[in-house]
Amino acid sequence: MENIQGILLLVAYCLLVYYTVKGGNLILGFLLSAIAWVVIGQVPYAVAMSDVFQKAVDIYGPTAIVIMLGSWFGRVLVETGIAGSIIRRAVELGGDKILVTTILASVATTFIFTGTYGVGAVIAIGVIVLPILLSLGVPERVATAAYTMSIGAAMFINIALFKQIALFFPANSVPYAGAYFTFALMAMGVSVFFIILMLAFNLRNGAAKAWAAPVIEAPTVTHVPFYSYIVPLVPVIMAVGLNWGPVPGMFLAIFLSLLLTGQLRN
């Protein structure tokens, strides 16, 4: 019986993935998946109502706020010009060397996403990074892989994602400091190392034919003071150095973004 239940749970999960890939509504998909798992697992009605459909949402509420703040922080980095300026500086340092430029752009992307979070930030910063790489002659498949892998490397120390994963463990059993942070830095370093290997292998014969990037409606990229470049790391620094929670750390980072770029009154 347990084997059959396990298979049915796996089938329900695969159906959710298929539904999501086809563009289905995630909220509806999760609701139907939760109902299916409750039925398959033969969860008692009272437990399902209290623990599955109510308590789970109550527990996830604070994490949802952190996710929204991370997305807001990402938007602020883009609109203040900090994210775009970091990318542009990295590209300028690479000069006309396509491999070096692509590596620096990937490292800069990882740096930006150590603190920011959210699909909106991924799209907004991608609009800046990808046209630059493509105009240099980096093949589309390589540019896309480098960008998404660079974001993934940063997720090891991204505090918004950490708060999501921490929900699966007893409260404060895995603090965002000490042993975990050491592991996270090492994991991020290993990820960046393999991104560099991937780029070195795929760009070993130089670039594909460069092309002029089309005009895209994107935030205006301006150079901001170099000392504002530390802002993406502020939530991480405050969490590790002063044991701040993610919410005050992100509020401080957002405030500094506006202050250091002269847009506090805007």
Side-chain angles (χ1 to χ4, degrees), residues 89-247:
R89 293 287 188 186
V91 171
E92 290 171 2
L93 287 174
D96 58 354
K97 299 177 181 179
I98 181 173
L99 176 58
V100 175
T101 301
T102 307
I103 290 174
L104 289 175
S106 299
V107 172
T109 299
T110 298
F111 176 75
I112 292 171
F113 278 94
T114 55
T116 189
Y117 190 78
V119 176
V122 172
I123 295 173
I125 296 172
V127 166
I128 299 171
V129 176
L130 293 175
I132 293 175
L133 297 183
L134 295 176
S135 66
L136 291 173
V138 179
E140 293 181 6
R141 59 183 176 80
V142 178
T144 304
Y147 180 61
T148 53
M149 291 169 68
S150 299
I151 296 170
M155 291 300 105
F156 285 104
I157 66 172
N158 186 284
I159 195 167
L161 183 61
F162 176 85
K163 290 294 292 183
Q164 292 185 68
I165 304 304
L167 286 175
F168 294 95
F169 301 94
N172 301 319
S173 63
V174 185
Y176 185 79
Y180 172 78
F181 192 71
T182 300
F183 158 78
L185 285 177
M186 293 174 62
M188 184 176 69
V190 170
S191 298
V192 171
F193 173 72
F194 277 98
I195 292 171
I196 293 173
L197 286 183
M198 183 272 292
L199 291 174
F201 176 78
N202 284 281
L203 300 177
R204 63 190 184 281
N205 296 323
K209 183 178 180 181
W211 56 280
V215 177
I216 300 174
E217 291 186 8
T220 302
V221 177
T222 56
H223 286 305
V224 297
F226 71 90
Y227 47 79
S228 66
Y229 294 173
I230 193 63
V231 170
L233 278 179
V234 167
V236 177
I237 293 172
M238 302 312 292
V240 176
L242 297 178
N243 199 30
W244 282 25
V247 172

Side-chain angles (χ1 to χ4, degrees), residues 44-64:
Y45 174 79
V47 175
M49 291 299 105
S50 63
D51 291 355
V52 176
F53 296 106
Q54 181 60 47
K55 186 178 179 181
V57 177
D58 291 340
I59 294 174
Y60 196 74
T63 301

